[in-house]
């Protein structure tokens, strides 16, 4: 009875998975560029951002078309409006991965090896992005809660990173510029965690019709 | 404040039960949309409210419907008086084969108003109220059958309003109309709800969302869900409501 609509919803879900996976790759490349001190990989992260921007426009067009053609209500309406909010957060994630990539060439080959927590932040943020999209596609509330709780891991790692960097600067002032660059990178990763949390909260809205309660 | 209240309302056509224990309170001066698949009982419920089902011989009714606190099935109730208070507009525009003026004056005349000046006022007020006055004021003596479908439907709304009812029952009032006429009737309902209570059967989900304050979802003779329209179309409480409004059955 609603074959066309269901096939449009499937397309939307597939595109969201693709965009989420492009975001994961962008984070992966940016962090790899940092850890290997490789400016070429950093450029690649930037090219992914353009691809992610294009995906955002494509998905937006699909959502607008579905709103126009299907005039969805109830859960259908919530899923489509949540998708339109989610892609905004994913687009920001792409930007921030690119921003990290842009900093890497200025590190002169240094790799942030002093800050183990940056790697932890990157891995956790990637997992959050992947899980939040999985939660959307499978309408999985347990996964939503997991993503939201994972943001604490990122935030705690960010706090420790700041401590480490303060310590590095105070013991060697010549590292000041390097440490500030690392701080920026850590901040971008922390923001990526926040965007993944936003995505999870929109998934919660699409499932329950309620926004996550402010903690 | 509710103007019409149904309590444990059951209705049978012969052996077939068409309404099952309907409990609902219709709020005054608002628009209530009745939705549900064909044969779910929504039109039966609508017609019960001004006892149009009395005309069908095999009908049996249990439970109560009160209008302004008064049981509408009580022996003391004059059906003509009830229908003066609770008017009806049908799916297909049904103007009488007479002039525009006489269509509107028909009801007031049957209720004993003969004074020409008084009738003129009633006709103008009703036509103004139904947002059709400007289109017909120069041809009041012409046949109502010469009007377009949308104009005829607004004429029927004006005719219903001419006897100054409190409640207007509308059975899919726009399903036979083009989009422009539909939009005029929808705009009109927004004006009318300041003074009237409107209860409307519609098969058009988007129309229910656009114009109604509350929605009642009927299925197989039961009232499945009743509540705030926006709430029902964004977060329905019952899975059957969700499945119906999202087009999974019906």
């Amino acid at each position: 009875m609603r074959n066309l609509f269901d096939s449009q919803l499937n397309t939307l879900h597939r595109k969201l998975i693709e965009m989420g996976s492009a975001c994961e790759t962008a984070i992966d490349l940016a962090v790899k560029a940092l850890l290997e001190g490789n400016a070429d990989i950093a450029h690649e992260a930037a090219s992914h951002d353009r691809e992610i921007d294009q995906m955002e426009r494509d998905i937006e067009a699909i959502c607008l078309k579905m709103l126009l053609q299907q005039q969805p209500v109830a859960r259908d309406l919530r899923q489509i409006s949540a998708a339109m909010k989610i892609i905004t957060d994913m687009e920001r994630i792409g930007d921030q991965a690119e921003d990290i990539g842009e900093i890497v060439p200025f590190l002169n080959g240094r790799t942030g090896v002093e800050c183990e927590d940056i790697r932890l932040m990157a891995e956790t943020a990637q997992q959050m992005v992947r899980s939040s999209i999985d939660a959307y596609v499978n309408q999985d509330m347990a996964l939503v809660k997991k993503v939201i709780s994972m943001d604490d891991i990122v935030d705690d790692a960010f706090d420790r990173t700041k401590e480490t960097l303060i310590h590095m600067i105070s013991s060697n002032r010549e590292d000041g510029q390097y440490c500030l660059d690392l701080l920026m990178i850590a901040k971008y990763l922390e923001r990526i965690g926040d965007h993944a949390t936003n995505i999870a909260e929109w998934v919660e809205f699409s499932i329950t019709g309620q926004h996550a309660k402010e903690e | 404040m509710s103007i019409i209240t149904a309590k444990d309302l059951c209705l049978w056509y012969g052996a077939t039960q068409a309404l099952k224990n309907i409990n609902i309170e219709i709020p005054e001066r608002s628009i209530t949309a009745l939705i549900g698949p064909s044969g779910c009982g929504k039109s039966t419920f609508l017609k019960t409210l001004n006892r149009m089902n009395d005309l069908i011989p095999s009908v049996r009714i249990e439970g109560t419907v009160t209008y302004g606190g008064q049981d509408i099935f009580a022996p003391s109730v004059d059906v003509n008086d009830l229908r003066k208070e609770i008017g009806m507009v049908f799916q297909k525009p049904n103007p009488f084969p007479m002039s525009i003026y006489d269509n509107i004056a028909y009801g007031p005349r049957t209720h004993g108003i003969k004074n020409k000046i008084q009738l003129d006022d009633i006709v103008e007020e009703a036509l103004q109220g139904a947002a059709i006055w400007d289109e017909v004021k120069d041809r009041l003596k012409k046949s109502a059958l010469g009007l377009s479908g949308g104009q005829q439907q607004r004429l029927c709304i004006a005719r219903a309003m001419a006897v100054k009812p409190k409640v207007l029952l509308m059975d899919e009032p726009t399903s036979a109309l083009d989009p422009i006429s539909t939009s005029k009737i929808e705009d009109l309902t927004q004006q009318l709800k300041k003074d009237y209570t409107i209860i409307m059967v519609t098969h058009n989900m988007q129309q229910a969302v656009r114009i109604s304050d509350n929605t009642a979802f009927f299925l197989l003779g039961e009232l499945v869900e009743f509540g705030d329209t926006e709430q029902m179309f964004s977060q329905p409480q019952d899975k059957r409501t969700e499945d119906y409004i999202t087009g999974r059955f019906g």
Side-chain angles (χ1 to χ4, degrees):
Chain A
M1 190 180 304
R2 35 176 275 158
N3 290 348
L4 173 64
F5 190 29
D6 283 337
S7 92
Q8 284 176 325
L9 264 181
N10 284 337
T11 306
L12 175 63
H13 291 168
R14 201 185 67 238
K15 296 265 182 191
L16 278 169
I17 294 171
E18 285 169 9
M19 188 172 174
S21 131
C23 286
E24 276 180 67
T25 307
I27 302 168
D28 202 31
L29 287 170
V31 173
K32 199 168 169 204
L34 168 69
L35 298 178
E36 295 180 9
N38 187 330
D40 291 339
I41 301 177
H43 280 300
E44 232 184 293
S47 76
H48 259 268
D49 182 51
R50 284 187 289 280
E51 190 190 330
I52 290 168
D53 288 350
Q54 184 57 47
M55 287 172 157
E56 183 196 21
R57 281 189 286 275
D58 292 347
I59 292 173
E60 194 178 78
I62 292 172
C63 290
L64 288 173
K65 189 172 171 184
M66 289 174 80
L67 290 174
L68 175 70
Q69 292 182 335
Q70 307 288 352
Q71 302 171 349
V73 294
R75 180 175 289 219
D76 296 332
L77 177 63
R78 298 201 304 270
Q79 279 205 27
I80 295 168
S81 48
M84 292 187 77
K85 300 295 288 187
I86 286 171
I87 56 175
T88 309
D89 279 304
M90 291 206 282
E91 189 272 333
R92 295 297 299 146
I93 290 171
D95 285 348
Q96 277 143 358
E98 182 186 21
D99 290 336
I100 293 171
E102 280 173 356
I103 293 173
V104 168
F106 295 99
L107 301 179
N108 300 319
R110 295 180 73 176
T111 59
V113 69
E114 306 83 352
C115 270
E116 188 54 32
D117 281 312
I118 288 185
R119 182 196 285 262
L120 174 66
M121 288 176 79
E123 283 168 359
T124 311
Q126 269 178 303
Q127 205 186 331
M128 286 171 76
V129 173
R130 183 169 49 241
S131 296
S132 62
I133 299 303
D134 285 349
Y136 173 84
V137 171
N138 299 317
Q139 298 281 286
D140 182 342
M141 227 11 239
L143 207 47
V144 165
K145 300 273 183 225
K146 191 175 162 208
V147 171
I148 292 173
S149 71
M150 282 168 83
D151 196 37
D152 289 342
I153 300 175
V154 177
D155 288 347
D156 292 346
F158 181 57
D159 288 341
R160 289 195 300 273
T161 300
K162 281 193 289 191
E163 294 292 330
T164 307
L165 293 172
I166 289 168
H167 184 70
M168 280 170 69
I169 294 172
S170 58
S171 59
N172 183 2
R173 292 176 63 85
E174 285 181 6
D175 269 349
Q177 179 66 46
Y178 172 61
C179 287
L180 285 183
D181 283 340
L182 288 183
L183 179 66
M184 295 285 285
I185 289 172
K187 182 65 189 169
Y188 287 132
L189 289 170
E190 188 266 337
R191 290 300 298 149
I192 289 174
D194 288 346
H195 286 298
T197 304
N198 286 348
I199 293 172
E201 287 173 353
W202 279 109
V203 176
E204 177 169 2
F205 172 79
S206 84
I207 297 170
T208 64
Q210 305 285 334
H211 279 290
K213 288 186 188 73
E214 290 287 325
E215 301 270 319
Chain B
M1 240 297 273
S2 65
I3 187 164
I4 290 178
T5 304
K7 264 198 194 137
D8 300 324
L9 177 67
C10 297
L11 183 145
W12 289 263
Y13 292 119
T16 312
Q17 186 166 8
L19 293 176
K20 297 173 187 167
N21 292 305
I22 307 296
N23 286 288
I24 191 169
E25 292 189 8
I26 309 277
E28 198 176 11
R29 289 199 174 86
S30 66
I31 301 178
T32 300
L34 309 182
I35 62 167
S38 299
C40 69
K42 58 194 187 301
S43 289
T44 295
F45 176 69
L46 191 77
K47 284 181 204 149
T48 307
L49 300 181
N50 73 348
R51 292 184 50 181
M52 298 262 296
N53 288 323
D54 286 16
L55 305 172
I56 303 167
S58 64
V59 162
R60 185 162 63 85
I61 294 170
E62 281 177 14
T64 59
V65 175
T66 55
Y67 163 70
Q70 161 81 45
D71 180 4
I72 66 165
F73 302 121
S76 59
V77 170
D78 179 333
V79 173
N80 289 323
D81 287 346
L82 178 72
R83 291 185 191 147
K84 182 173 173 291
E85 294 279 310
I86 306 178
M88 181 99 176
V89 176
F90 296 88
Q91 179 176 4
K92 205 162 161 266
N94 56 349
F96 302 141
M98 51 179 77
S99 73
I100 293 168
Y101 184 98
D102 288 339
N103 260 278
I104 309 298
Y106 188 89
R109 279 179 180 141
T110 61
H111 289 99
I113 300 172
K114 303 283 182 227
N115 181 300
K116 170 85 169 69
I117 297 168
Q118 206 182 343
L119 281 174
D120 285 354
D121 285 348
I122 290 171
V123 168
E124 176 169 351
E125 196 187 333
L127 290 169
Q128 293 267 20
I132 190 181
W133 172 251
D134 287 339
E135 292 162 60
V136 301
K137 64 181 179 208
D138 299 323
R139 47 169 168 158
L140 293 176
K141 296 295 173 190
K142 296 257 171 64
S143 168
L145 302 178
L147 297 172
S148 73
Q151 288 172 327
Q152 288 187 5
Q153 192 62 308
R154 277 178 289 146
L155 180 80
C156 292
I157 293 173
R159 188 176 63 196
M161 287 161 61
V163 294
K164 305 222 182 310
K166 297 280 193 321
V167 180
L168 283 174
L169 308 177
M170 299 186 173
D171 194 355
E172 297 187 55
T174 63
S175 65
L177 303 182
D178 67 80
I180 293 171
S181 304
T182 298
S183 152
K184 281 186 181 166
I185 303 266
E186 288 184 1
D187 284 349
L188 176 59
T189 58
Q190 299 304 305
Q191 293 296 317
L192 294 179
K193 76 170 183 178
K194 291 172 191 150
D195 301 306
Y196 301 86
T197 302
I198 296 175
I199 305 169
M200 178 190 285
V201 167
T202 180
H203 274 295
N204 182 334
M205 295 297 116
Q206 294 307 318
Q207 179 170 66
V209 176
R210 276 195 300 270
I211 68 172
S212 72
D213 301 293
N214 293 289
T215 298
F217 169 55
F218 286 79
L219 184 66
L220 302 169
E222 276 179 65
L223 176 61
V224 172
E225 191 167 341
F226 173 61
D228 179 75
T229 296
E230 225 177 284
Q231 168 80 21
M232 191 179 293
F233 281 91
S234 52
Q235 275 175 269
Q237 301 299 306
D238 193 294
K239 186 168 184 307
R240 290 169 294 174
T241 314
E242 169 119 22
D243 286 350
Y244 178 69
I245 63 177
T246 57
R248 286 184 169 82
F249 72 82

